[in-house]
Amino acid sequence: MAALRILILCLFAISAVYAHNITEILSDYPEYSQFNSYLSQTKLADEINVRQTITVLVLNNAAMDDLTSKHSLSVVKNELSLHILLDYYDPKKLHSVSKGTTLTTTLYQTTGNAPGNLGFVNITDLKGGAVGFGSAEPGSKLDSTYVKSVKQIPYNISVLEISKPITAQSILTAKSSNVNVTALLEKAGCKTFAALIVSSGVLKVYESQIDKGLTIFAPNDEAFKAKGVPDLSKLSNAELVSLLQYHALNSYTSKGSLKTTKDSISTLATSGAGKYDLTATSSGDEVVLHTGVDDSRISGVVLDSTPLVIFTVDNVLLPKELFGKSPSPAPAPAPESETPSPAPISTPIPAPASEAPAPITSSPPSPATETPESSPADAPAVKSENSSSDNTAGVVEAPALLKSLPLVSIVTALVFLS
Ligand SMILES: *[C@@H]1O[C@H](CO)[C@@H](O)[C@H](O)[C@H]1NC(C)=O
Ligand SMILES: *[C@@H]1O[C@H](CO)[C@@H](O)[C@H](O)[C@H]1NC(C)=O
Ligand SMILES: *[C@@H]1O[C@H](CO)[C@@H](O)[C@H](O)[C@H]1NC(C)=O
Ligand SMILES: *[C@@H]1O[C@H](CO)[C@@H](O)[C@H](O)[C@H]1NC(C)=O
Ligand SMILES: *[C@@H]1O[C@H](CO)[C@@H](O)[C@H](O)[C@H]1NC(C)=O
């Protein structure tokens, strides 16, 4: 019976995953579109959705601009975590906090990076009916005020607008942890690519972009040896720089976002509309990038940690501006090889794959996922392609099968079995 009770508890926990969907709730309000977009980008939306009793303090687009224009994505994520209260506050409760002031726990407290009162927000009932919000970090101002109620689902989720960001000085001034991009790339089997970005100076371009968000598509060493790869030593310096910049995006773009992006994607090499861009298609868990000249499968995730994501890809991405005569997908001076190469060019839709979520058995193992234990202490561990991609606590992924089964029928079946 104990086992049964645990099972039922688990099922309730799974059902709570779907208690609410903050992305959907906010999609009705264009004035909060920026806030909503950042919740998705930083994956805080997932954290909100798995929690049963929560209050989200939203900012309108102007107030968000204020925050995002001055700070890196990782700082924005930490700041927004202070706007997610792990308790239910509707307008009535806001105006009736005991003794007129309280400290409430925020999502930032659950990250393990919050010393002292840093993970708490001070809510104070000000004179004249106003309610003030501020970080509980000593010396913080109580200068954000309650504007209006946006949405309440009683005791589950409350969404309230406040006037300006709740800021904690030590979050704003935190140094972003320094990641050694070349070391990570070398470890993931992308030594050639690492050497090229160092020698061409493109590493500096990458590094200057990290704080604002950067996605790197690193071809593995096999990709550079594959037949059909043009002789890169024949490129001019400027062309090599463009080619390497073509292998990165100036945003934090997780695999999940690549899967849902239907438009063409600008790269760091993009200088004008439609120039040096990419498209992506997906099938199950597989994502394939298309340049107009060749295709390349995303074969592994070396690092996915806001604001930086590094993927390995199994072909060099050949932009049509350098290797194609026309914008048509017909391969021109860079013919794809007919003979099997160590890194086969994937087709976007493997024929029988519609039911298998991750048809990766037929492809070479990604070097990125082979040696997770041997990562250096200063570098984040290499993660497998399907791992939950961030280090924040609390995300519960329900198995796909359970997601699709109605809760009631499972409980009924269990009670019947006992
Ligand atoms: C609140 O969440 C609980 C548990 O997930 C759910 O059973 C209940 O229906 C929700 N309440 C509302 C009003 O949606
Ligand atoms: C939440 O809603 C958004 C937008 O409607 C949708 O794209 C997303 O898949 C939903 N998430 C979940 C977990 O249902
Ligand atoms: C909240 O901040 C106000 C103003 O700084 C302060 O007077 C009050 O004591 C704080 N509340 C708590 C519970 O610490
Ligand atoms: C990064 O790692 C490479 C070796 O992969 C090393 O040569 C370089 O000095 C490191 N850079 C920094 C800033 O530590
Ligand atoms: C992740 O993928 C590996 C195969 O690459 C598979 O063995 C494992 O079960 C997957 N894990 C999850 C949680 O889906």
Side-chain angles (χ1 to χ4, degrees):
M1 282 313 285
L4 174 64
R5 231 172 283 141
I6 288 166
L7 263 171
I8 290 177
L9 281 177
C10 287
L11 288 168
F12 275 110
I14 290 163
S15 73
V17 169
Y18 299 96
H20 39 250
N21 179 340
I22 186 69
T23 314
E24 199 167 290
I25 291 173
L26 291 179
S27 67
D28 291 339
Y29 305 88
E31 63 268 42
Y32 311 124
S33 62
Q34 282 247 38
F35 190 91
N36 200 12
S37 153
Y38 275 90
L39 286 185
S40 297
Q41 275 183 62
T42 56
K43 303 197 176 87
L44 289 171
D46 299 336
E47 301 275 331
I48 294 169
N49 294 345
V50 296
R51 285 172 193 272
Q52 283 213 42
T53 306
I54 202 142
T55 301
V56 183
L57 303 173
V58 297
L59 299 164
N60 67 25
N61 292 341
M64 269 307 276
D65 268 343
D66 213 36
L67 186 63
T68 58
S69 62
K70 294 190 207 125
H71 302 289
S72 71
L73 192 58
S74 56
V75 168
V76 171
K77 179 179 185 176
N78 289 337
E79 279 293 335
L80 291 184
S81 306
L82 284 185
H83 292 71
I84 300 163
L85 314 180
L86 306 186
D87 197 354
Y88 181 84
Y89 284 93
D90 56 13
K92 186 159 164 270
K93 187 167 167 190
L94 273 189
H95 286 99
S96 55
V97 290
S98 81
K99 300 197 178 106
T101 181
T102 188
L103 296 186
T104 190
T105 315
T106 71
L107 190 65
Y108 190 67
Q109 183 68 20
T110 67
T111 61
N113 307 322
N117 276 347
L118 191 51
F120 293 85
V121 158
N122 175 328
I123 303 178
T124 299
D125 199 353
L126 303 168
K127 297 209 169 69
V131 179
F133 295 84
S135 162
E137 186 180 41
S140 304
K141 290 191 202 130
L142 202 69
D143 59 355
S144 180
T145 51
Y146 170 69
V147 176
K148 63 171 188 257
S149 156
V150 178
K151 171 110 182 173
Q152 267 91 47
I153 300 174
Y155 311 110
N156 287 11
I157 186 167
S158 171
V159 181
L160 309 171
E161 182 184 337
I162 58 172
S163 62
K164 56 189 279 191
I166 298 170
T167 54
Q169 210 49 39
S170 50
I171 292 182
L172 293 182
T173 55
K175 284 297 263 172
S176 54
S177 62
N178 272 328
V179 174
N180 187 329
V181 172
T182 44
L184 283 175
L185 288 172
E186 286 172 7
K187 230 174 175 12
C190 304
K191 288 203 170 72
T192 311
F193 184 70
L196 283 171
I197 61 172
V198 171
S199 67
S200 63
V202 169
L203 176 62
K204 294 244 155 39
V205 179
Y206 284 3
E207 283 173 346
S208 69
Q209 184 61 41
I210 290 179
D211 269 357
K212 290 279 168 198
L214 178 70
T215 302
I216 300 175
F217 301 113
N220 57 37
D221 291 338
E222 297 303 322
F224 285 95
K225 293 178 209 148
K227 275 201 166 177
V229 172
D231 184 355
L232 300 185
S233 66
K234 295 221 172 84
L235 295 179
S236 70
N237 266 342
E239 287 169 336
L240 181 62
V241 165
S242 294
L243 175 70
L244 296 170
Q245 293 192 352
Y246 187 60
H247 284 76
L249 314 178
N250 66 354
S251 59
Y252 167 78
T253 305
S254 63
K255 197 165 174 186
S257 346
L258 283 174
K259 278 189 203 164
T260 54
T261 304
K262 291 186 183 69
D263 303 330
S264 63
I265 303 165
S266 297
T267 67
L268 286 189
T270 299
S271 50
K275 286 256 164 42
Y276 285 100
D277 57 7
L278 292 166
T279 56
T281 55
S282 67
S283 163
D285 199 43
E286 183 160 282
V287 174
V288 177
L289 303 173
H290 310 273
T291 71
V293 175
D294 70 346
D295 302 329
S296 186
R297 195 180 64 104
I298 290 189
S299 52
V301 183
V302 180
L303 175 75
D304 181 345
S305 177
T306 322
L308 173 64
V309 53
I310 304 179
F311 297 111
T312 50
V313 293
D314 56 15
N315 282 306
V316 179
L317 299 169
L318 302 174
K320 53 186 186 297
E321 287 74 10
L322 295 177
F323 303 104
K325 282 214 171 95
S326 70
S328 80
E336 291 172 5
S337 91
E338 298 284 284
T339 52
S341 69
I345 291 165
S346 310
T347 47
I349 304 145
S354 55
E355 295 200 0
I360 52 180
T361 42
S362 61
S363 39
S366 150
T369 58
E370 276 173 7
T371 54
E373 302 83 19
S374 58
S375 303
D378 66 329
V382 169
K383 287 168 185 168
S384 78
E385 267 189 280
N386 54 359
S387 68
S388 166
S389 55
D390 221 331
N391 57 359
T392 41
V395 180
V396 181
E397 280 277 3
L401 174 67
L402 285 176
K403 283 181 185 174
S404 61
L405 284 176
L407 174 63
V408 175
S409 66
I410 301 175
V411 174
T412 315
L414 283 169
V415 170
F416 181 74
L417 282 173
S418 70

